[in-house]
Amino acid sequence: MLAELGHFALLLMVVTGIGQAVLFSPLWIHSSLRMLRPQTSTATPQGSPELPDDDPVGVTGTAAKPANLFLLPAVILLLGLLAEGALLNAFIVSDFTLPVVTDVSHSSTPMLYRIGAAFTPDGGAMLVWLVALSLVNLLLALQMGKSAKTGDDHFGRNALSILGLLIAVLGVVTLIDADPFLRSSVAPLDGRGMNPQSQDLLKVLREPFLYLGLAGLTGIFALTLAGLLDRRIDRQLAESMRSWTIGSWVCLGTAIAINAYRSYSEQAWGGWWYWDTAENSLLLPWLLATALLHCRAVLEKTETLRGWTAFLGITALAVGWFGVYLTRSGLFVPLPETQLLPSDSTGLLVSFCAVFASAYYLFWRSVEQMATSRYFEVISRESAMFLNSVMLALVAAVVLIGTIYPLVLKWITGDPITVGSPFYVKVLVPIVLPLLFLMAFAPALRWRQDEIWMIGRRMKLAAILSLITVLFVSIRFIEMSPAPLIGIGLAGWVLTASLSDLWARLWRHPEHGESKYRNLQLLGPRYVSMTLAHIGLAILIAGGSASSIWEEQVVVSARAGQSIQAGPYNLQYEGVSLLAGENYATRQATFILYRHSLPVTELFPEIRYYPTRGVETREADIWHGRDGDLHVSIGDRADDGGRVVTVHYLPMMPWVWGGMLLMLIGGCFSILTRVVLRLKNTGVPAS
């Protein structure tokens, strides 16, 4: 019964989304009320006010009541939560009359992963996206309520109308492609079980962050189209997009960090990025959201880069939507197999083409009106941020081509190929190196115009320190590949540039007072969050480059009591135990970890067997030390009777995770401090 209620709620979401799209559209209201106006006389009685042409209801201010903006979004969110709750209940009680539950769950699956399984199938993931979009819809209505109080609700209503249309479109796509509430006439005794690779807490957490990020990009998309409709790509639009851009960037970055650590901990080879379709589909919208983050700041400050900002506001969602399609569609399998597949994700592809063809057509029609008389010099902060955004877009284009090319080639010729790390390193290094070089310059440049000799004075300390770092590392490891050495040097360049600029603003800026704590307040959350993000990226690059240079790998056939040396650590192999998990059997190895002959901890890598699916997985165990990670995994028995043990010592690998965390903290700091400062109204600038 709950499943039918959830299905009805999903249908009502579609209807209510269409209602919001129609009722919130000022163009529709204006046209309808013009038809309803009496046509008997065109003269206006003397002494009565004229009715403005842009008054949407015939009486100025009637349609601008804030409550009108909140009702439908609140109803849509309530319906979405009801549908999601019904689906979660079906997984919790193991309702195998629903095929979506049968395909990815089993009565022996632990409760936590049953809940997580509701997010993984196509229908469940689309429903999560819908719920996240409904939440964004309500929050945007609350944001637009302030402008509605002043009578300027045309822009907000356009944005909400577009969001309502997108909710309806995605709801229809969910019902057509993968309706999660369809019942089968004959229920099986049990399900097929969850994919063992998905039976992981991080996997459960990744999906909500991913779809919250995509929902945030959908809000940006709606605001951008509303701005194009009103011919208002200006400072007001940039201010409206600020929190949505940072929030989407943080959510997508969190999903990327979770996915990277899952790859690192689940696989035996100690890598943390595979460049496969699923990972690239996460990376693409994050790259364009990063570019949009910078261009939006330029638009807000100087009202330039209007067209480029609008283009990124549309394209960021486009690549995210297409990435969802790539990970869920069977389109790119060989052609004979394609003819045998059901029309899975066809609705998602058709809606993608329709939505973004319309959006880009509107952009093309409006781009001429976005010209501005404002300008900036080549040597300026605007120029540096624009170049950085272009390079980020080029990186995204390379990643997209590298993702699609093998899939298209496989579909056309049937010959599978792999595009891996060598391709991306060879193509992306010439783009990323100048990107990092310019990234350090941008915060130190002045708006509008700057002088080269002044830039040299500000950046000389950073240049000297980064040059010393490159020379030291290159002399110490002269036989190594130059790519990681350059990476370490540029990481040092970005880090020292960020710290030196922060130092100058705190202690040496003539406009700041004598108190460094007051100076820190005057910097504002935008600058502090930007500095934290840049420092985090520098730390991430340094850690990734150093771990690739100094990585040690040991593969041995070990017997009980044997010691394995890796870096400064010594592992003593104690043997393998057969244990039973909740829904799997495991061979768990025990290692005692020593450092300088002193015991540190015990590690327990495993080989798990899931009888429901008949699948075997290898679970590595990791020790995060202060100077590096020790990554241990086990394999099958070797020919000599020993157990195959693979050990990776990755120096400075904690810097990678620390850098990711610091970048996310920078984004969260910007959002939280703006909320606090707005509530307190202390007079400290929020930007």
Side-chain angles (χ1 to χ4, degrees), residues 360-523:
Y360 285 117
Y361 175 75
L362 177 61
F363 172 79
W364 173 69
R365 289 294 301 270
S366 307
V367 70
E368 293 183 359
Q369 284 76 27
M370 287 186 282
T372 177
S373 59
R374 299 174 181 268
Y375 69 95
F376 52 84
E377 298 294 337
V378 174
I379 303 176
S380 63
R381 185 180 296 188
E382 295 97 322
S383 181
M385 295 176 77
F386 171 67
L387 288 175
N388 278 347
S389 67
V390 170
M391 291 177 187
L392 285 167
L394 286 176
V395 171
V398 170
V399 174
L400 181 62
I401 292 171
T403 304
I404 293 177
Y405 175 71
L407 300 176
V408 174
L409 187 64
K410 180 181 177 182
W411 183 63
I412 295 175
T413 66
D415 298 327
I417 66 168
T418 301
V419 175
S421 180
F423 165 79
Y424 290 105
V425 170
K426 184 179 295 186
V427 178
L428 290 180
V429 164
I431 305 174
V432 173
L433 294 185
L435 171 65
L436 294 174
F437 185 74
L438 279 175
M439 189 179 74
F441 271 110
L445 294 174
R446 300 185 186 278
W447 295 104
R448 299 292 185 190
Q449 186 176 2
D450 209 336
E451 301 293 338
I452 296 179
W453 66 271
M454 294 180 66
I455 300 172
R457 288 182 58 185
R458 298 184 213 122
M459 305 298 294
K460 62 182 179 181
L461 178 61
I464 293 171
L465 292 177
S466 59
L467 183 60
I468 291 173
T469 303
V470 171
L471 290 176
F472 173 78
V473 177
S474 61
I475 292 173
R476 175 66 176 82
F477 301 95
I478 194 170
E479 74 283 356
M480 305 300 287
S481 171
L485 301 179
I486 297 174
I488 291 177
L490 284 174
W493 162 250
V494 174
L495 179 62
T496 53
S498 300
L499 292 177
S500 61
D501 186 63
L502 180 62
W503 172 276
R505 290 173 184 266
L506 285 178
W507 278 276
R508 298 171 55 190
H509 200 290
E511 297 178 1
H512 290 179
E514 67 280 357
S515 171
K516 57 181 175 295
Y517 303 107
R518 180 59 179 167
N519 290 347
L520 184 62
Q521 285 184 310
L522 291 173
L523 292 178

Side-chain angles (χ1 to χ4, degrees), residues 241-431:
M241 291 169 55
R242 180 189 299 172
S243 297
W244 298 110
T245 309
I246 299 174
S248 302
W249 184 83
V250 169
C251 289
L252 290 171
T254 303
I256 289 174
I258 290 173
N259 195 78
Y261 192 79
R262 280 193 71 245
S263 301
Y264 180 63
S265 60
E266 290 285 335
Q267 304 300 325
W269 63 287
W272 55 281
W273 199 260
Y274 288 84
W275 297 103
D276 64 6
T277 303
E279 291 179 331
N280 292 349
S281 298
L282 281 172
L283 184 61
L284 284 169
W286 182 84
L287 288 170
L288 292 184
T290 307
L292 179 61
L293 198 65
H294 293 80
C295 291
R296 189 217 60 82
V298 174
L299 177 62
E300 182 181 2
K301 185 71 176 181
T302 63
E303 290 199 347
T304 54
L305 302 183
R306 293 180 178 181
W308 181 237
T309 304
F311 178 79
L312 290 176
I314 297 172
T315 309
L317 178 63
V319 296
W321 191 316
F322 188 64
V324 172
Y325 171 73
L326 281 181
T327 55
R328 302 192 180 281
S329 172
L331 176 67
F332 293 110
V333 298
L335 187 59
E337 298 179 25
T338 303
Q339 298 171 351
L340 302 176
L341 289 174
S343 57
D344 186 35
S345 298
T346 302
L348 192 61
L349 179 61
V350 172
S351 61
F352 168 83
C353 296
V355 168
F356 292 100
S358 304
Y360 285 117
Y361 175 75
L362 177 61
F363 172 79
W364 173 69
R365 289 294 301 270
S366 307
V367 70
E368 293 183 359
Q369 284 76 27
M370 287 186 282
T372 177
S373 59
R374 299 174 181 268
Y375 69 95
F376 52 84
E377 298 294 337
V378 174
I379 303 176
S380 63
R381 185 180 296 188
E382 295 97 322
S383 181
M385 295 176 77
F386 171 67
L387 288 175
N388 278 347
S389 67
V390 170
M391 291 177 187
L392 285 167
L394 286 176
V395 171
V398 170
V399 174
L400 181 62
I401 292 171
T403 304
I404 293 177
Y405 175 71
L407 300 176
V408 174
L409 187 64
K410 180 181 177 182
W411 183 63
I412 295 175
T413 66
D415 298 327
I417 66 168
T418 301
V419 175
S421 180
F423 165 79
Y424 290 105
V425 170
K426 184 179 295 186
V427 178
L428 290 180
V429 164
I431 305 174

Side-chain angles (χ1 to χ4, degrees), residues 142-291:
L142 293 172
Q143 180 184 358
M144 294 296 110
K146 182 176 294 186
S147 60
K149 292 179 181 178
T150 63
D152 183 22
D153 67 337
H154 190 274
F155 171 76
R157 284 177 174 271
N158 266 335
L160 292 173
S161 177
I162 294 166
L163 267 183
L165 180 61
L166 290 175
I167 289 172
V169 167
L170 288 176
V172 171
V173 167
T174 303
L175 292 169
I176 293 176
D177 284 344
D179 190 342
F181 298 107
L182 288 179
R183 288 192 184 273
S184 57
S185 56
V186 179
L189 296 177
D190 218 325
R192 296 180 59 240
M194 192 175 188
N195 183 356
Q197 294 292 340
S198 300
Q199 189 168 313
D200 181 70
L201 178 60
L202 293 177
K203 171 67 173 177
V204 175
L205 293 175
R206 190 195 73 168
E207 301 301 316
F209 281 108
L210 167 61
Y211 289 105
L212 278 172
L214 291 178
L217 293 180
T218 310
I220 296 169
F221 175 82
L223 289 170
T224 303
L225 291 192
L228 291 173
L229 287 171
D230 282 357
R231 305 295 194 270
R232 280 172 45 182
I233 306 297
D234 54 10
R235 181 176 287 111
Q236 181 181 351
L237 174 65
E239 291 175 352
S240 301
M241 291 169 55
R242 180 189 299 172
S243 297
W244 298 110
T245 309
I246 299 174
S248 302
W249 184 83
V250 169
C251 289
L252 290 171
T254 303
I256 289 174
I258 290 173
N259 195 78
Y261 192 79
R262 280 193 71 245
S263 301
Y264 180 63
S265 60
E266 290 285 335
Q267 304 300 325
W269 63 287
W272 55 281
W273 199 260
Y274 288 84
W275 297 103
D276 64 6
T277 303
E279 291 179 331
N280 292 349
S281 298
L282 281 172
L283 184 61
L284 284 169
W286 182 84
L287 288 170
L288 292 184
T290 307

Side-chain angles (χ1 to χ4, degrees), residues 637-655:
R637 288 196 175 275
D639 294 337
D640 61 359
R643 176 73 60 180
V644 176
V645 177
T646 304
V647 181
H648 293 265
Y649 173 62
L650 300 160
M652 294 178 64
M653 195 64 192
W655 288 38

Side-chain angles (χ1 to χ4, degrees), residues 64-121:
K65 293 180 180 178
N68 293 345
L69 296 180
F70 308 148
L71 181 59
L72 284 178
V75 171
I76 292 174
L77 178 59
L78 182 62
L79 292 172
L81 292 174
L82 182 60
E84 186 64 50
L87 185 61
L88 286 173
N89 177 76
F91 275 89
I92 290 172
V93 301
S94 295
D95 185 359
F96 295 121
T97 60
L98 298 180
V100 68
V101 180
T102 304
D103 289 341
V104 295
S105 187
H106 190 271
S107 57
S108 64
T109 303
M111 180 62 68
L112 174 63
Y113 302 123
R114 269 190 261 171
I115 295 173
F119 304 151
T120 53

